[in-house]
Amino acid sequence: MLTDSGVSVVLYVDVAAQPNTRNPDLGIDVGEVQFLIPSPEPGQLRALSDAISHISRGGGFHWIYLPDVTGQVAAIQEEAFAAATALEREYEKERRSQEKVAQEILSLRTMSGRMPLTEVILNAPQPQPANPSPTDETPWATWRKPNTTFMFYGLHDGTGWMIITHQDQRLIAVPWPFFEGWDRALPERCGKADLELGGVSMDNFTATALYLRDKQKVMRFSTIWQDILNAA
């Protein structure tokens, strides 16, 4: 079948507990979508009306694979790459600064002649970063991984979402500023609400970013919390 945009799509209709996985033999230009119907309980479907009701209540479409015909996925990936590059540059700048200080300490103590070089190497104090990381002042300090990038999406309806890296490497989308009904605001394909963390544990970063990108008024990424506050 063809979509309105002319994309070839394979449609599956299945009664199963979990969505299908992508068929790599179809190639990157063919989409896959599944109408998934949950398995009925034994004896649940005694009449045609029961089956129709079960399908209408529990059935739903799930994109298994959506071709990037408009380049939006590539744009999202480029934004993520830019954020990672910026963070890597900051890290490399700090690392080089520490190495330079360490070398200066070693050179000066060696020149002083007050201790052998081997003792200088063993006893030289560890240099401190030129710009020590400030205390995490965000609302998520107890679980956020330090020195990771914030990605903020401010939407046209006045709500906003912050994508944060958890200490266990998960990506969490949290409502910022907080708003009622956040746990039902994102589509199921984005992830599942974690009420303890106060955010959505993302199953699919690309799907979430695409959804937010379509509705965004402003997008900002930074490792500095104050920059995000100014954007929000």
Side-chain angles (χ1 to χ4, degrees), residues 2 24 66 69-70 80-81 97 108 114 140 148-149 172 182-183 195 207 221:
L2 293 176
L66 176 63
V69 293
T70 62
F81 177 78
S97 176
L108 291 171
R114 296 189 178 182
W140 317 285
T148 52
T149 301
I172 309 296
W182 66 266
D183 53 326
L195 300 181
F221 61 82

Side-chain angles (χ1 to χ4, degrees), residues 25-47:
D25 295 335
L26 293 177
I28 62 173
D29 297 324
V30 178
E32 294 178 84
V33 65
Q34 179 186 32
F35 187 80
L36 184 64
I37 305 168
S39 301
E41 298 294 332
Q44 180 180 352
L45 308 181
R46 298 183 178 276

Side-chain angles (χ1 to χ4, degrees), residues 13-30:
V13 179
D14 295 298
V15 178
Q18 297 294 332
N20 285 346
T21 56
R22 183 186 171 200
N23 180 359
D25 295 335
L26 293 177
I28 62 173
D29 297 324
V30 178

Side-chain angles (χ1 to χ4, degrees), residues 26 51 55 60 93 149 159 177 211-212 220:
L26 293 177
I55 294 172
K93 182 179 179 181
T149 301
T159 62
Y211 175 81
L212 296 175
R220 178 75 59 85

